[in-house]
Amino acid sequence: MRSLLIYGATGYTGRMAAQYAKEAGIQLVLAGRNGEYLAKLADELAVQFRVFSLDVPSAVDKGLEGISVLLNCAGPFKRTAPVLMEACILAKTHYLDVAAELDSYQLAERLDPQAKAAGVMLLPGSGGSVAMLGCLASKALAHVENPSSIRVALQVAGPMSRGSAVTAGESLSQGYLERLAGNLVEGQSQGLHSFDFGKGPADCFPVTLPDLITIWKTQPVPDIATFVRVAGDGFGQLDPSSMPDGPTAEQRSANRYQAVAEVRDTQGRLEVAVLDTVNGYTFTAMAAAEASRRVLLGEALAGFQTPAGLFGDAFAESIADTTIAML
């Protein structure tokens, strides 16, 4: 049988993804650096596990033996993705991850020729905001004949995981990018932009999201800008050392995510689409497990791919109670 290996399986998102994958009947192998934690989780799920560090190339190669699909849940991805993507290409193992960092997507672009030559798929963002926003953008763009620009905003709520806090801290210190006339450039936004997530206009701030690459890859729109709104005070504490692994099940249940896509055509006409879904951490784990299941069943294309491009714009709505509506 074809097997899925989840690297970083004992982390916050990795554990949830492993549980969803097990429930889906996937032949599963857990992996990571901490043998004690892996053994405990593997015993709970009644699956196999492998212990290896990414610092030793031969150990990584051995860890991928007999594996059809790898799901990387170990961040920061700018450190883990290079090792695992290149190892997957050599092992002819399809690579998936849940990265929200631009680095993984730029790396996948660079490795695209090698992956295609090896018949290996690189699918960063198999779950999470990239899957959400990619499907939302594709739905909105389908209603516009000659799109000239798209603005996408994500509204997040509830406590942040420790891993997300590390990523957010690094991202906020690096400024932001947008796509103008097809090129990634330093952001030119004059500040906040207002989006309506369903309860009236709300200010959002510009940030660098991977959708600057993935939307462009799925459907090249000359101008792309990405924004985030933080609802409530759950993201106020960004010191990872004092944070729990992530929000509890109750906290996730109480805090849903929304997103908006605004598309303008060459005549200035506007189309707006709105997404509503479960908490982002829940969506990420569920979508990554479902993407892995589909890839194991043969839904794969060689090279760098996106969730919306590979699975279609209905993929996000197949996860939990996610809806996308045109306004």
Side-chain angles (χ1 to χ4, degrees), residues 79-289:
R79 301 189 181 97
T80 63
V83 175
L84 289 172
M85 278 193 195
E86 292 182 5
C88 280
I89 290 173
L90 289 175
K92 298 190 182 302
T93 298
H94 294 312
Y95 173 94
L96 286 67
D97 71 26
V98 294
E101 307 161 49
L102 199 69
D103 308 70
S104 283
Y105 302 83
Q106 293 175 316
L107 175 63
E109 284 185 314
R110 293 195 299 272
L111 293 178
D112 179 67
Q114 295 171 240
K116 284 180 177 175
V120 169
M121 183 171 69
L122 304 177
L123 187 67
S126 59
S129 63
V130 166
M132 287 182 206
L133 299 184
C135 293
L136 174 67
S138 292
K139 290 269 189 179
L141 288 165
H143 288 76
V144 179
E145 187 172 346
N146 296 301
S148 63
S149 68
I150 182 169
R151 285 175 167 174
V152 179
L154 176 66
Q155 178 170 260
V156 299
M160 180 184 287
S161 74
R162 187 183 302 123
S164 295
V166 172
T167 299
E170 293 179 352
S171 298
L172 290 174
S173 66
Q174 296 173 359
Y176 79 99
L177 302 174
E178 60 184 334
R179 194 175 287 276
L180 293 176
N183 299 307
L184 279 179
V185 299
E186 291 186 7
Q188 304 297 311
S189 173
Q190 298 302 307
L192 300 176
H193 181 69
S194 181
F195 293 85
D196 188 347
F197 296 96
K199 295 183 178 180
D203 287 338
C204 303
F205 55 90
V207 295
T208 301
L209 294 180
D211 311 274
L212 295 170
I213 291 177
T214 54
I215 291 174
W216 169 259
K217 178 173 177 57
T218 304
Q219 184 170 343
V221 182
D223 296 351
I224 305 172
T226 53
F227 299 79
V228 165
R229 178 175 187 266
V230 177
D233 58 1
F235 281 33
Q237 173 63 43
L238 292 181
D239 178 11
S241 65
S242 62
M243 296 176 65
D245 278 354
T248 64
E250 292 75 16
Q251 289 171 326
R252 293 197 306 271
S253 179
N255 292 281
R256 296 176 66 84
Y257 279 26
Q258 290 80 36
V260 175
E262 297 182 345
V263 182
R264 290 193 182 274
D265 67 11
T266 53
Q267 302 301 312
R269 290 184 291 263
L270 177 68
E271 292 284 351
V272 180
V274 178
L275 173 146
D276 179 77
T277 189
V278 294
N279 185 268
Y281 292 105
T282 301
F283 181 96
T284 295
M286 293 182 72

